[in-house]
Amino acid sequence: MAASRGRRLLWHGRCWFSQTESGVPPQPPDSLYPPIVASATAKSKAAKRRRLEHFNQRVHAAASIEEKLRLYGQLQRPKYMLYPQTFALNADRWYRSFTKTVFVPGLPPRAAAAAAAKAPGAVAPEAAETPAGVAPEAAKAPEPGTAAPEAAKSPELAAAAAPCLDMGELRSLACDALLQESFYQNKKRPFLYRDQDHTPGPFLTQLVSTLAAFLCGRNPLLAASSLDLKPQVNYYWHHGEEVVVHGHRKGRVDPVRFQIDDNPHLQIRVPKQLPEIVPLESDLGDVPVIDHKPSKLPLFKKQYENKVYIGSKVADPCCYGHTQFHLIPDKLKREKFVRANLEDQIEVVYRANGIASLFAWTAAQAMYQGFWNEADVTRPFVSQAVVTDGKYFAFFCYQLNTLALTVETIQNNPRKNICWGTDSKPLYDVVEDGSVKGFNDEVLLQLVHFLLNRPKEL
């Protein structure tokens, strides 16, 4: 039996030994026992590290974007609810700290150069190839790492490059939309704190839809876009650490969780991404450091569904953001700040709204492409926003350079998100006797440049 198995038993003195006829003897295993790992349920730092590594592996191995988003927001804990439209004093500095955002006054320099290259009284289509904007103050101090080849063109070359848009026709469209909602219609008195839904809201809807339809021939991206009315935008992220002070988990160190639930009045989604404004590693300023708890702002905690949503599902082909339009509510009217001697907080409301809303929308777009805090973005994501109360307009451009905002990922991450913005300016002075007085062409031109923004290949 032993010979049939390829082994021979030999008698040598008083000892039995076997001789294997096969070639190389088997290699002994590296370890006879499995590795010792930390408990997955203990309170130690090693156990917490193991749970975090296991969670990251599950998210990385997710088969689809939907599954990755489900795993990312699966664990529900109390989180701070961050409101883009807030009455808190100096909220824009806090929001910049929470989102690691640098705020740059004015608009991107290439937009200002494109505005300088246009023909007098007309809008040149070259402005569509730039990130949007007419900002004389931005043209005075161009940021490092950017170039403005359009600035070298003369107005004659810009006018001869392609047919220009007539500024008088654009002004007529805007004035017709304003008179339709504020003069021609016989509207009843609005309900308390619903004045924005009475006239400014319908005017903004009519203005954007009219201008977008009019400019479709100049910007092919608008023809393929999706216009959402009062959509829902959500984003959930971690930034910083805190010690749990109440409950059965008292004493444990948890990440500080934030959630933005935004409802813009209008937003335009497009199938192709807007071009980057500056390189991914650009450093245009410092981010404010806030050492206080977010509850001092004040922000309040609530436990509910963690959601990441751009206003449409993942399968929607229009998965990139173009421009959002936000309507300032009645409770944040300029007159209230003036009566309370808080004139310096008027622009803070616009900046806080632009920074928080654009961060949530742009970061959610990046997560729809498979990026998250452990797999940071490899290309910038750009979006635009217009914040208005129906009369005063402020314009913002946002470039998302990083999603790595957790304690583990932010230490060796030099990237910073960047937001460009302008102060609010009036579109008109007053509507009297069926005519618009004091119409501001600069604000309308800025809005047209935002809508004409498109990728360079188009």
Side-chain angles (χ1 to χ4, degrees), residues 257-333:
R257 300 172 170 89
F258 294 92
Q259 173 85 51
I260 293 180
D261 299 317
D262 195 18
N263 292 100
H265 185 77
L266 288 169
Q267 72 178 16
I268 301 175
R269 292 180 291 106
V270 291
K272 291 189 177 182
Q273 187 176 350
L274 293 180
E276 69 175 22
I277 302 174
V278 294
L280 195 65
E281 305 290 342
S282 298
D283 186 1
L284 303 185
D286 297 327
V287 177
V289 179
I290 306 294
D291 295 327
H292 302 285
K293 290 185 176 180
S295 57
K296 300 296 183 182
L297 180 57
L299 293 181
F300 302 95
K301 281 187 174 182
K302 188 176 180 181
Q303 181 172 328
Y304 59 100
E305 179 188 10
N306 304 325
K307 193 171 183 181
V308 177
Y309 192 65
I310 68 170
S312 65
K313 294 185 177 180
V314 177
D316 195 312
C318 295
C319 56
Y320 295 105
H322 190 279
T323 307
Q324 277 188 339
F325 298 87
H326 295 268
L327 200 59
I328 298 294
D330 287 351
K331 62 182 180 181
L332 298 177
K333 278 185 175 180

Side-chain angles (χ1 to χ4, degrees), residues 189-200 230 330:
R189 183 179 179 181
F191 292 103
L192 186 64
Y193 293 115
R194 299 298 297 273
D195 183 65
Q196 296 298 326
D197 297 335
H198 186 259
T199 299
K230 296 183 179 179
D330 287 351

